[in-house]
């Protein structure tokens, strides 16, 4: 097994950095080798199957439930997943894109869009996170080649500066309101397939969504959320942020994130 690309540095170009800063996201090719993905994908998928708590049939779920199966902090249940989530290569890219010296883990999250799974409505992740600044980023790692029919992530380029709609959770309303508002503000929608080994990074306030999975196989994706090690916990402004304090056990508003669940990764 050759998984050295989890350890070694990835050469970010100035174009990549500028794109991220200006557009709020960047897609990067050849970040992980097919061999590395093949080495870790079965374990990640196995843990998703084992830990998934969604028992309602797809047709009977609400829009959020149809969007994906969601399992968080797989690293706590598998030493092999911990190796993947702890990747210095992935974490270093996050730190360099954010322009910070060091990043911590907030949590990981597997997002598996089943065959027939519905759209993921427009939203910004940071609606859910009790953070004092915008120095947080998600790496989105498809575990297979992801053509358009599988529902790859789509971004509203430059929308990280747009504050309208930040108070909307993932819902039919967020899809309707943000689709209209983002188009009116002329934020281009970037919707492209992902090659095997290609990953994307997006800021917490960058609006994004994903089409339905019309293929006959699941869209398997692993994500890792990184925060600046200087990140201060903000006073939660909604129930989702209050619930998300569980990923920072013992942490209180006004304090730095520093719990055992939030190790420094780079």
């Amino acid at each position: 097994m050759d998984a050295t690309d989890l350890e070694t540095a990835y050469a970010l170009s100035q174009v990549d950095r500028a794109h991220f800063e200006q557009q709020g996201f960047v897609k990067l090719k050849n970040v992980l080798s097919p061999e590395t993905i093949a080495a870790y994908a079965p374990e990640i998928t196995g843990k998703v199957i084992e830990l998934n708590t969604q028992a309602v049939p797809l047709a009977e779920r609400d829009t959020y439930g149809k969007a994906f199966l969601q399992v968080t902090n797989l690293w706590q249940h598998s030493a092999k997943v911990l190796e993947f989530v702890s990747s210095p290569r992935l974490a270093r890219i996050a730190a360099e894109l954010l322009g910070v010296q060091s990043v911590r883990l907030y949590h990981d999250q597997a997002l598996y869009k089943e065959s027939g799974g519905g759209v993921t409505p427009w939203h910004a992740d940071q609606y859910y996170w009790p953070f004092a600044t915008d120095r947080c980023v998600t790496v989105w790692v498809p575990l297979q080649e992801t053509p358009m029919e599988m529902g790859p992530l789509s971004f509203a380029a430059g929308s990280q500066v747009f504050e309208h709609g930040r108070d909307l959770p993932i819902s039919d309303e967020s899809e309707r309101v943000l689709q209209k508002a983002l188009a009116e503000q002329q934020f281009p929608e970037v919707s492209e397939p992902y090659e095997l080994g290609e990953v994307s990074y997006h800021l917490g306030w960058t609006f994004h969504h994903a089409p339905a999975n019309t293929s006959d196989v699941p869209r398997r994706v692993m994500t890792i959320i990184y925060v600046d090690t200087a990140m201060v916990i903000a006073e939660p402004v909604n129930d989702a942020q209050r619930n998300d304090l569980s990923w920072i056990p013992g942490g209180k508003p006004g304090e730095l994130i520093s719990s055992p669940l939030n190790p420094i990764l780079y």
Side-chain angles (χ1 to χ4, degrees), residues 58 62-68 113-114 116-123 150-151 170-172 174-176 179 208-214 219:
L58 186 61
D62 63 11
T63 299
Y64 189 105
K66 288 176 180 175
F68 40 63
K113 190 183 285 286
E114 299 149 281
V119 300
T120 306
W122 282 108
H123 66 284
M150 290 185 79
I170 296 175
S171 60
D172 292 328
S174 72
E175 177 73 3
R176 183 179 65 252
Q179 184 78 46
H208 55 283
H209 71 162
N213 180 5
T214 60
R219 185 210 70 186

Side-chain angles (χ1 to χ4, degrees), residues 116-130:
V119 300
T120 306
W122 282 108
H123 66 284
D125 296 342
Q126 206 163 336
Y127 164 86
Y128 294 92
W129 302 338

Side-chain angles (χ1 to χ4, degrees), residues 24 122-129 131-136 158-170 173-174 177-178 181-182 187 203-207 237-238 240-241:
W122 282 108
H123 66 284
D125 296 342
Q126 206 163 336
Y127 164 86
Y128 294 92
W129 302 338
F131 298 159
T133 78
D134 70 345
R135 295 295 88 185
C136 53
S159 63
Q160 74 278 10
V161 301
F162 187 51
E163 296 188 5
H164 179 73
R166 286 184 177 182
D167 59 343
L168 295 173
I170 296 175
E173 181 189 11
S174 72
V177 170
L178 285 164
L182 293 167
F187 292 110
L203 283 168
W205 285 125
T206 301
F207 287 106
V237 297
N238 56 46
Q241 291 186 8

Side-chain angles (χ1 to χ4, degrees), residues 8-215:
T8 56
Y10 178 87
L12 267 182
S13 71
Q14 285 304 114
V15 172
D16 295 331
R17 295 168 194 257
H19 189 282
F20 181 82
E21 186 173 342
Q22 294 162 12
Q23 308 297 334
F25 78 97
V26 68
K27 292 180 72 183
L28 304 170
K29 294 183 186 295
N30 302 312
V31 172
L32 298 177
S33 69
E35 292 78 16
T36 293
I37 293 171
Y40 289 89
E43 178 73 3
I44 293 169
T45 297
K47 287 300 167 185
V48 170
I49 293 168
E50 176 188 329
L51 299 168
N52 170 53
T53 58
Q54 176 61 270
V56 178
L58 186 61
E60 297 173 21
R61 299 179 210 160
D62 63 11
T63 299
Y64 189 105
K66 288 176 180 175
F68 40 63
L69 298 177
Q70 180 177 349
V71 184
T72 304
N73 268 10
L74 270 65
W75 70 268
Q76 291 184 278
H77 303 274
S78 164
K80 194 170 183 69
V81 177
L82 174 59
E83 285 178 19
F84 188 88
V85 170
S86 300
S87 165
R89 181 182 183 89
L90 296 175
R92 177 178 175 167
I93 294 170
E96 291 182 351
L97 290 173
L98 289 172
V100 300
Q101 288 189 314
S102 179
V103 290
R104 288 184 179 275
L105 174 67
Y106 180 45
H107 59 69
D108 71 41
Q109 196 163 285
L111 299 172
Y112 277 42
K113 190 183 285 286
E114 299 149 281
S115 175
V119 300
T120 306
W122 282 108
H123 66 284
D125 296 342
Q126 206 163 336
Y127 164 86
Y128 294 92
W129 302 338
F131 298 159
T133 78
D134 70 345
R135 295 295 88 185
C136 53
V137 66
T138 298
V139 61
W140 201 82
V141 185
L143 300 177
Q144 73 289 303
E145 185 179 349
T146 309
M148 292 307 298
E149 58 265 27
M150 290 185 79
L153 210 55
S154 302
F155 304 95
S159 63
Q160 74 278 10
V161 301
F162 187 51
E163 296 188 5
H164 179 73
R166 286 184 177 182
D167 59 343
L168 295 173
I170 296 175
S171 60
D172 292 328
E173 181 189 11
S174 72
E175 177 73 3
R176 183 179 65 252
V177 170
L178 285 164
Q179 184 78 46
K180 182 171 184 287
L182 293 167
E184 286 175 349
Q185 296 297 314
Q186 298 184 321
F187 292 110
E189 180 179 347
V190 179
S191 189
E192 301 167 342
Y194 283 66
E195 298 174 5
L196 187 64
E198 184 174 19
V199 309
S200 61
Y201 285 77
H202 64 271
L203 283 168
W205 285 125
T206 301
F207 287 106
H208 55 283
H209 71 162
N213 180 5
T214 60
S215 78

